[in-house]
Amino acid sequence: MMTTAARTLTSFERPAIEKSRAVAAVHPTYCEFDLITDRAAFDALETEWNDLFARAGKPTNVFQTFNFCWHWANHYLHERDGRPSTLKLLLITARRDDRLIMVFPLVAERVRGITQVFWMGGSAGQYGDALIENVPDKDAILRAAFDLLRTQSAADILRLRRVREDANITRLMNDLGATAAERLVAPYMDLTSAENFPAFEQRYSSKTRKNRRRLLRRLEEKGPMQFLRLHGGEEARQLAVEALALKSEWLKSRGLLSNAIADRRMTDLFADLAEGKTKPAGCIVSALKSNGEIAALEVSFACKARIAMHLIAFNLEYEKSGAGVLLLEQSLKDGYADRLEACDMLAPGDDYKFDWCEKADSVVDWVMPLTLKGEIYARVYLGFLRTRIKSALKNLPKPLRRLMRDGAKIAAAAEK
């Protein structure tokens, strides 16, 4: 027997849900599905979302917590500089027996005449997935959610970045015949493989261990050293802002440009997440100071005994001092002190990450056209032009990349 739309709502929830519910559908999976497009309705999900995460969230779902998405929505779904956001909520929920059992956290944006659907959290997050209880028919529930998206959202293309091989939606993407636009690996350190840090450290060569001790001595010669590990507060806020500034400077020195990091919204988001004043999302800011000056910074997110090392940056003046290496080593020691099971360095699998990590997980950027227009866009731009443009830019000489980078910033400023 199918369920009916008979969920009892609180007086606070009812207006928000009813106002935002673009469609409510009862499906043969014995679930009631809602397509939520209104911020107030998203906010009303807080308690249920948190309960679902406690029951079914994985450590790698750190960027699908309600609190992380709430902070992201504050900065990316609101008007900025007098202009409305181009992003719109497109969140799908499923309930069974009056209990929330699935959240598919998505947003839509119209770009170049194409309505594209992305993960809520966008480039500020990393791993993307749907939250769902481990019920026997979860694949059928996810398929029903996709069908609702395809028929009710008017979207042209689904672009889901950084989907882990063990994600809930991986089988759905394969069953739908979605295209793997890019395959990457995410290196991580398995802390359960050794009892403590000294035991873990033995896997590295004697030469590597001696080199790190040498770097430590050299940095100590410059003045007093201090390691900080901050779980919220005003100083964490300030250091998170500085971490993004240092990352931007590093990119500039290489003639590179990250639109995500250049976006002021990213800085403001990380500042709020790091401070943790409202709805903390597990953000930890680690710092290495030399003689009172910032040498290296790390912004991470902890969830269920796993930490995602989201942003690692160092002061260019300390590039040859190995400040980033020393901070990473300290973070590993702190991981053991905090009884973590894994330190995840996330995708992509850069060479320096494998200096630390012996294991890696596969992640995929999935693309699924939903309309003929979306199919053309996927084939012509995503499948052909975009990859060649990226490759050509990567192979340009550094001075020319810097010139193009500065030109791109000027063009972006002119559009404001």
Side-chain angles (χ1 to χ4, degrees):
M1 166 177 187
M2 299 183 186
T3 63
T4 61
R7 187 165 78 91
T8 301
L9 303 174
T10 67
S11 58
F12 172 75
E13 289 180 304
R14 186 176 293 107
I17 294 290
E18 291 177 352
K19 178 181 177 183
S20 73
R21 185 176 283 166
V23 61
V26 180
H27 190 269
T29 57
Y30 303 101
C31 289
E32 179 189 353
F33 292 84
D34 294 336
L35 183 62
I36 292 174
T37 58
D38 180 78
R39 174 62 194 268
F42 162 76
D43 290 340
L45 289 171
E46 180 176 4
T47 299
E48 290 181 293
W49 190 320
N50 287 335
D51 289 345
L52 172 61
F53 195 92
R55 297 192 306 270
K58 306 173 186 177
T60 50
N61 291 140
V62 58
F63 302 107
Q64 284 80 59
T65 63
F66 176 85
N67 287 1
F68 184 90
C69 291
W70 182 85
H71 281 285
W72 180 86
N74 287 346
H75 295 282
Y76 285 84
L77 295 183
H78 283 188
E79 181 180 292
R80 190 176 183 88
D81 298 328
R83 295 182 299 173
S85 173
T86 58
L87 294 161
K88 307 296 180 184
L89 270 173
L90 207 63
L91 191 148
I92 305 172
T93 63
R95 289 184 174 80
R96 176 175 286 167
D97 296 329
D98 217 22
R99 184 169 82 166
L100 185 71
I101 65 168
M102 186 211 72
V103 173
F104 210 143
L106 301 170
V107 293
E109 183 176 29
R110 192 160 184 82
V111 180
R112 305 181 190 92
I114 303 291
T115 300
Q116 306 185 50
V117 177
F118 310 90
W119 290 119
M120 192 175 187
S123 54
Q126 285 291 313
Y127 302 136
D129 200 6
L131 292 178
I132 187 169
E133 287 193 11
N134 191 27
V135 291
D137 59 340
K138 73 175 187 178
D139 290 336
I141 295 171
L142 291 170
R143 179 58 184 260
F146 170 78
D147 290 341
L148 182 64
L149 173 72
R150 183 187 56 192
T151 58
Q152 300 295 331
S153 69
D156 295 302
I157 191 167
L158 185 65
R159 297 180 63 185
L160 302 181
R161 297 178 64 251
R162 301 294 196 265
V163 176
R164 291 169 52 89
E165 189 174 6
D166 60 357
N168 293 315
I169 68 156
T170 294
R171 183 179 296 181
L172 173 66
M173 293 295 100
N174 283 309
D175 290 347
L176 291 172
T179 299
E182 188 171 18
R183 295 184 182 272
L184 300 169
V185 293
Y188 70 96
M189 291 169 271
D190 181 5
L191 305 193
T192 65
S193 62
E195 183 179 356
N196 50 39
F197 175 73
F200 185 93
E201 192 182 25
Q202 294 305 308
R203 70 192 58 201
Y204 304 118
S205 68
S206 175
K207 180 179 179 181
T208 297
R209 297 197 303 273
K210 288 180 179 178
N211 183 56
R212 290 176 190 164
R213 289 194 293 271
R214 177 177 56 81
L215 291 172
L216 183 61
R217 287 194 300 269
R218 285 188 177 180
L219 203 55
E220 286 175 332
E221 291 172 358
K222 294 186 176 184
M225 286 179 52
Q226 182 185 16
F227 287 104
L228 299 176
R229 190 170 176 86
L230 305 174
H231 299 258
E234 180 59 32
E235 186 175 9
R237 180 185 185 89
Q238 294 173 2
L239 291 178
V241 171
E242 188 162 352
L244 283 158
L246 289 178
K247 190 68 174 182
S248 182
E249 285 300 311
W250 180 86
L251 289 167
K252 182 179 179 180
S253 73
R254 267 67 176 174
L256 302 172
L257 173 66
S258 167
N259 290 326
I261 291 177
D263 191 332
R264 180 66 195 183
R265 292 176 297 182
M266 177 80 87
T267 299
D268 294 342
L269 169 62
F270 269 49
D272 284 351
L273 288 167
E275 185 176 17
K277 187 175 182 179
T278 305
K279 302 189 191 306
C283 186
I284 301 172
V285 179
S286 301
L288 168 57
K289 291 185 177 182
S290 174
N291 209 25
E293 184 178 31
I294 292 296
L297 291 167
E298 175 193 310
V299 181
S300 301
F301 294 87
C303 179
K304 296 189 175 183
R306 189 182 184 101
I307 193 165
M309 304 168 83
H310 194 323
L311 177 65
I312 300 170
F314 57 84
N315 189 328
L316 288 176
E317 294 182 7
Y318 290 84
E319 185 169 8
K320 295 182 180 180
S321 301
V325 171
L326 294 175
L327 181 57
L328 268 171
E329 183 177 76
Q330 183 61 39
S331 294
L332 186 53
K333 293 177 182 177
D334 291 335
Y336 272 102
D338 292 343
R339 298 187 177 183
L340 298 177
E341 296 177 357
C343 291
D344 192 341
M345 298 191 76
L346 307 176
D350 296 323
D351 290 343
Y352 83 91
K353 296 180 182 180
F354 284 102
D355 291 341
W356 297 86
C357 306
E358 292 184 331
K359 297 182 178 180
D361 293 318
S362 299
V363 293
V364 177
D365 289 357
W366 291 104
V367 173
M368 181 68 196
L370 305 176
T371 65
L372 177 59
K373 188 162 54 173
E375 177 74 30
I376 295 171
Y377 181 78
R379 288 181 180 273
V380 176
Y381 176 68
L382 298 179
F384 182 79
L385 292 177
R386 185 169 178 267
T387 54
R388 284 156 179 79
I389 292 171
K390 288 177 65 176
S391 178
L393 290 174
K394 185 177 180 180
N395 293 324
L396 286 174
K398 187 182 295 186
L400 186 54
R401 289 206 309 268
R402 286 176 178 164
L403 182 63
M404 294 184 68
R405 174 190 183 278
D406 293 341
K409 291 179 68 175
I410 293 170
E415 291 178 359
K416 293 182 179 180

